[in-house]
Amino acid sequence: MSNAFLQISNAEKISREAIPHLSFDQFQSQALDMVTNGGKIVHYFAYPDKESLKLLAVLRTDKLFVAGCDVPDVYPSLTKTCEPFHLFEREIAEQFGIRPQGHPWLKMVRYHPNYTEGAADVFGNDYSQDIPGNYPYYQVAGEEIHEVAVGPVHAGVIEPGHFRFNCIGERVLHLEIQLGYQHRGIEKQLLAVPAKRLPIIGENIAGDTTIGHSLCMAQNLEALTGVQTDQGARVIRTIALELERLANHIGDLGALSGDVAFLPPANYFGRIRGDFLNLSLLICGNRFGKGLVRPGGVRFSLSDDIRKVLNERLAELRPEVTHVLELLFNAVTVRARFEGCGAVSHEDADHLGLVGPAGRASGMAYDVRRCFPTEHYPYMGIPENKKATGDVYARARVRYDEILQSLQIVESLAAIPVETRCVSEGMTYDLPASSFSVALNEAWRGEVSHAVLTDENGKILRYKIKDPSFHNWNGLAMSLRDTGISDFPLNNKSFNLSYCGFDL
Amino acid sequence: MLSVLKNRFEQGYRTNRYPEEKVKVFPRYRGRPVIQDNISEETLKTCAESCPQDAIDVQNQKIDIGRCVFCGTCENISNGQIKFTNDYEIATAERADLITSGDLPALAEHAKQHFKKLFGRSLQLRQVSAAGCNACEADLNVLATPFFDLARFGINFVASPRHADGIVVTGPISRNMKTALLQTYEATPTPKVVIAVGSCTISGGPFIGSPEITEGLDKILPVDLFIPGCPPHPMTNLHALLSFFK
């Protein structure tokens, strides 16, 4: 593809001068060209550079590309012709007060005042007032149409968000998802905090994806500072990421089982999930892996006694996991409820740029571990694991396959002794001036990515976080179209997306 | 049917015998921290400077476990002069008691006796997730799994505040969740309890300093029970609920 975008590698330091700076028109047409030809957006965000505002896009085909441009206060929306830009343009409008002219559905993402001092709010909001919910929701008109509104406080012990269903009888015509309730201002906060706080905030972006997010942060800081990790640390990080995948996939299959009222696997998986969380605790003292990954490596080694317990537990768990998986997937009543429920077509998934298990269930083979491998993944074969049907069954089945694959990965890595030198505390990060790095990892929900830009003094100028849920929430909305509203919990759990990872 | 029975047999009985028998956790678990009496001021100072949460008070030799995220940095640099023990029974009835050198008052004695009378046999709780990282929610959810089986103590999480005896709050209460939280509190009939779970809710946690959050639930609602941790271990939650209400 002849393109002015620069080809880059995953977690590689580049000088900001090396990033092609295009004219706005050229930038837009080239980005549009790549995305309409099957490329996907990894990042598309704005940042202030001295007096001006700039845009930066990281796109992927089978390679990674980056380019930037100056941004006018108002620009013609790309979403009009190319849907994948939809949420990114809304985010840019909210964060920097830049209006994408002609955007078909310009609404708030997280309800916060924009970052540019003095810039008018694109949505006309007064942020001294309570904003969430003060917004004209998408409406469907007609005699038998009714709305169902849920949240932000949901019925269970789960994160807050607001769902608005437009229904005709039991049938859902459209689901509008409004998030932003968990907004903590993380991206902005990361610019101002001392270095010692960075990893702590990084691992608390989304607790169930602690390893995924903290890996991205660590890899970027390592790339920028040139600090090398040793092989042992890379193996331990890989084990930790796979344990995170196991715990979450197993928990979700249990929840799916509960939602179709097949309670034995729901209870067994609920308990087994805890056993995998405890394996993370075994390694690093925290069930979610907090405190393990730091720039430069890991804080805990896999000593022989720890490895012994790990291997013993895995040997105990494997038959239990396999038997409960069989119990769940062999039950015809379960298959009858999973199959054909909430299907997202390959075409829709491709348009929306779905990632992770949700994308693979709709036939998108993409897996960061295979396409842009980091840590120990370059030395492993990650099988292509896609399904054709895009329904709840496919999303559950992808999890099934990945559970067995991850078990095998952890077993094989835990079997070999590795030495690592644990990172010392109180590390300071002297970041280089005017540099850029982007890191991608396959967390359990899919592609998680962080991008860092530093200014001419080596201070973080822009820290951009993207959880896979940012791509996938619209997939959930699509899956609900034309289904019974009572299928919502099942569909919701088959995606199990992050609210806090999205809200930031 | 046979496979259901076979699995049932394989799974066996998994519920723990807490509080009669203590549950053991893996040695690397970081529970209640203890500051050694003979720690030098210099070491403590280095710890305080390296603490990502600024949770260490050098002058009084104390650590605020409502602010601490139990990362273990101070343990590593003090060569164990600050030590995170395996003790997970760390909840308190007063915010001030969380600022400690290692000792915590016995929660059962500080529990309000009228709460025990009111809620001791049946306690229904409404959980409000208010902008954390979802780890606290996850470790509250596991209380319903067979190992912990919270329901055997007559404690349940319910869907409506109207059916609840109190609320359990997690997360640092974002600006965008404040109204929903206060409305849930209002909707809960009195007498009611308020339980703060996790360092975010108690102090703002990792997000301290962000203008988008509240630094401490006790600044907006009267809190009866503080359960520290990032997130609190499920056993910490279980201990707190049982000691305070049973």
Side-chain angles (χ1 to χ4, degrees):
Chain A
M1 196 180 293
S2 83
N3 202 302
F5 274 62
L6 173 74
Q7 192 192 322
I8 54 170
S9 302
N10 192 2
E12 173 198 30
K13 176 191 151 188
I14 33 178
S15 120
R16 271 173 56 202
E17 275 171 25
I19 301 173
H21 190 78
L22 313 176
S23 74
F24 179 75
D25 290 342
Q26 203 189 4
F27 175 83
Q28 267 214 343
S29 71
Q30 301 248 345
L32 199 62
D33 187 44
M34 272 171 103
V35 176
T36 44
N37 283 307
K40 294 281 175 286
I41 310 168
V42 178
H43 283 288
Y44 179 37
F45 59 85
Y47 66 96
D49 185 25
K50 299 194 182 85
E51 302 306 302
S52 66
L53 276 171
K54 292 200 163 77
L55 283 174
L56 194 100
V58 178
L59 306 178
R60 67 171 160 90
T61 56
D62 53 346
K63 298 183 182 71
L64 283 176
F65 297 93
V66 65
C69 68
D70 277 324
V71 56
D73 293 343
V74 178
Y75 63 80
S77 163
L78 282 170
T79 310
K80 268 196 302 187
T81 45
C82 189
E83 300 92 326
F85 288 95
H86 161 228
L87 201 48
F88 291 97
E89 287 192 334
R90 276 170 51 189
E91 190 186 38
I92 292 167
E94 183 166 64
Q95 292 186 336
F96 291 94
I98 305 160
R99 181 181 289 277
Q101 206 77 41
H103 190 290
W105 196 14
L106 193 63
K107 64 179 256 192
M108 291 78 75
V109 183
R110 304 181 178 109
Y111 302 109
H112 63 78
N114 67 47
Y115 301 162
T116 320
E117 230 158 278
D121 186 66
V122 168
F123 309 97
N125 284 329
D126 169 9
Y127 291 94
S128 62
Q129 305 290 313
D130 248 4
I131 305 292
N134 176 18
Y135 152 81
Y137 286 93
Y138 190 81
Q139 282 190 330
V140 178
E143 221 170 277
E144 290 171 57
I145 300 292
H146 67 105
E147 275 186 4
V148 179
V150 187
V153 182
H154 294 310
V157 182
I158 46 170
E159 301 174 80
H162 183 82
F163 296 157
R164 187 84 51 123
F165 299 88
N166 284 293
C167 299
I168 178 156
E170 290 281 294
R171 196 154 61 91
V172 178
L173 295 175
H174 175 73
L175 160 64
E176 181 169 356
I177 301 170
Q178 179 57 59
L179 303 173
Y181 292 91
Q182 303 250 65
H183 182 61
R184 293 149 285 172
I186 294 179
E187 285 184 358
K188 208 175 166 200
Q189 194 181 16
L190 284 170
L191 307 181
V193 297
K196 65 179 182 178
R197 286 187 63 188
L198 290 177
I200 302 290
I201 296 176
E203 61 194 12
N204 285 292
I205 294 165
D208 53 23
T209 317
T210 295
I211 303 293
H213 278 288
S214 47
L215 264 183
C216 285
M217 178 177 274
Q219 288 165 354
N220 273 332
L221 295 178
E222 284 154 11
L224 290 172
T225 53
V227 173
Q228 301 284 321
T229 52
D230 59 27
Q231 196 213 344
R234 291 197 292 273
V235 168
I236 294 169
R237 287 169 166 198
T238 307
I239 292 175
L241 192 63
E242 294 301 323
L243 284 176
E244 186 168 273
R245 193 181 314 280
L246 278 162
N248 285 300
H249 284 346
I250 286 171
D252 283 353
L253 287 184
L256 282 171
S257 181
D259 268 354
V260 297
F262 189 37
L263 297 184
N267 282 307
Y268 305 154
F269 273 147
R271 194 266 305 166
I272 295 172
R273 170 175 178 273
D275 286 329
F276 281 100
L277 291 176
N278 283 338
L279 293 183
S280 294
L281 186 146
L282 170 75
I283 296 173
C284 73
N286 182 289
R287 282 158 58 89
F288 297 87
K290 292 181 185 184
L292 177 64
V293 179
R294 289 291 180 272
V298 287
R299 286 177 67 226
F300 297 91
S301 67
L302 210 55
S303 59
D304 286 342
D305 54 330
I306 297 282
R307 224 179 59 249
K308 185 167 165 282
V309 182
L310 180 61
N311 285 320
E312 284 167 7
R313 289 291 161 111
L314 287 169
E316 267 172 48
L317 286 167
R318 176 178 266 280
E320 291 180 9
V321 170
T322 330
H323 295 160
V324 184
L325 281 175
E326 281 163 12
L327 179 63
L328 177 64
F329 281 84
N330 288 343
V332 283
T333 46
V334 169
R335 294 185 60 135
R337 284 288 281 118
F338 283 10
E339 281 173 356
C341 182
V344 180
S345 69
H346 180 259
E347 195 195 358
D348 286 342
D350 192 43
H351 261 98
L352 294 169
L354 298 193
V355 294
R360 289 194 279 282
S362 294
M364 318 263 294
Y366 179 63
D367 185 323
V368 186
R369 294 177 296 172
R370 208 181 54 248
C371 302
F372 305 106
T374 61
E375 303 303 321
H376 199 65
Y377 293 112
Y379 313 105
M380 282 190 280
I382 302 290
E384 208 175 84
N385 182 26
K386 61 177 184 183
K387 306 279 175 267
T389 49
D391 50 4
V392 170
Y393 182 76
R395 287 188 285 275
R397 192 71 201 189
V398 170
R399 315 282 198 106
Y400 174 110
D401 292 348
E402 289 189 14
I403 286 169
L404 295 178
Q405 290 160 10
S406 297
L407 256 180
Q408 206 260 323
I409 293 174
V410 179
E411 283 164 348
S412 66
L413 291 179
I416 329 154
V418 282
E419 300 255 324
T420 180
R421 150 184 63 73
C422 295
V423 290
S424 54
E425 305 291 351
M427 182 181 162
T428 52
Y429 316 106
D430 283 327
L431 299 180
S434 305
S435 302
F436 168 74
S437 169
V438 59
L440 288 76
N441 281 290
E442 183 77 13
W444 67 279
R445 284 193 186 93
E447 177 197 276
V448 51
S449 177
H450 292 196
V452 187
L453 281 159
T454 61
D455 67 10
E456 65 278 9
N457 300 316
K459 203 177 148 310
I460 299 176
L461 176 68
R462 181 81 170 100
Y463 197 104
K464 190 77 200 84
I465 300 160
K466 190 204 63 192
D467 190 89
S469 306
F470 194 77
H471 295 290
N472 287 0
W473 273 111
N474 278 325
L476 173 63
M478 283 310 292
S479 78
L480 258 288
R481 292 211 168 166
D482 221 17
T483 63
I485 191 167
S486 50
D487 280 341
F488 172 69
L490 191 56
N491 276 297
N492 190 26
K493 292 210 180 73
S494 72
F495 280 87
N496 192 8
L497 301 174
S498 179
Y499 299 71
C500 55
F502 178 96
D503 289 347
L504 298 175
Chain B
M1 193 64 217
L2 276 177
S3 63
V4 174
L5 290 172
K6 204 174 121 233
N7 263 287
R8 182 68 196 86
F9 188 70
E10 183 182 57
Q11 291 290 326
Y13 181 79
R14 303 281 186 162
T15 306
N16 72 62
R17 299 193 187 282
Y18 188 84
E20 282 78 40
E21 267 174 49
K22 282 268 162 92
V23 171
K24 275 196 81 157
V25 286
F26 287 123
R28 284 183 179 174
Y29 168 72
R30 293 180 294 279
R32 177 175 54 88
V34 175
I35 304 179
Q36 305 293 334
D37 288 339
N38 57 357
I39 190 169
S40 74
E41 202 184 312
E42 201 182 332
T43 310
L44 199 57
K45 238 181 180 162
T46 324
C47 291
E49 277 160 19
S50 310
C51 174
Q53 289 297 105
D54 296 322
I56 299 172
D57 173 357
V58 179
Q59 216 161 27
N60 299 310
Q61 291 207 2
K62 283 188 195 296
I63 179 165
D64 181 355
I65 59 169
R67 211 179 151 106
C68 173
V69 289
F70 298 76
C71 68
T73 300
C74 55
E75 182 173 58
N76 285 0
I77 45 182
S78 69
N79 275 323
Q81 286 191 287
I82 296 177
K83 178 149 181 48
F84 284 84
T85 65
N86 254 356
D87 179 12
Y88 45 72
E89 301 181 342
I90 54 174
T92 65
E94 302 292 337
R95 174 70 180 92
D97 289 337
L98 291 174
I99 303 167
T100 172
S101 319
D103 303 326
L104 292 170
L107 182 59
E109 287 161 27
H110 279 70
K112 293 174 183 145
Q113 291 309 313
H114 64 285
F115 280 172
K116 293 197 178 204
K117 218 164 161 185
L118 272 170
F119 306 125
R121 289 158 75 91
S122 157
L123 176 67
Q124 311 300 317
L125 298 167
R126 171 67 258 209
Q127 198 267 334
V128 184
S129 166
C133 74
N134 198 30
C136 287
E137 289 82 345
D139 267 352
L140 282 170
N141 260 323
V142 297
L143 296 178
T145 60
F147 183 78
F148 302 99
D149 194 16
L150 189 64
R152 74 196 147 119
F153 301 107
I155 305 173
N156 289 295
F157 286 97
V158 294
S160 166
R162 305 267 186 222
H163 305 158
D165 302 308
I167 56 170
V168 175
V169 185
T170 53
I173 311 134
S174 61
R175 215 166 39 87
N176 291 344
M177 265 310 282
K178 207 165 174 176
T179 306
L181 168 66
L182 293 176
Q183 283 175 351
T184 308
Y185 175 78
E186 289 300 322
T188 310
T190 42
K192 55 190 158 193
V193 287
V194 177
I195 304 171
V197 172
S199 69
C200 281
T201 321
I202 298 172
S203 67
F207 311 107
I208 289 172
S210 168
E212 297 284 335
I213 61 142
T214 310
E215 295 187 356
L217 175 64
D218 57 351
K219 296 204 172 78
I220 51 173
L221 287 176
V223 178
D224 300 295
L225 178 58
F226 296 87
I227 310 182
C230 186
H233 193 280
M235 288 309 301
T236 309
N237 291 321
L238 191 58
H239 161 260
L241 294 175
L242 295 186
S243 324
F244 202 71
F245 296 105
K246 291 280 135 184

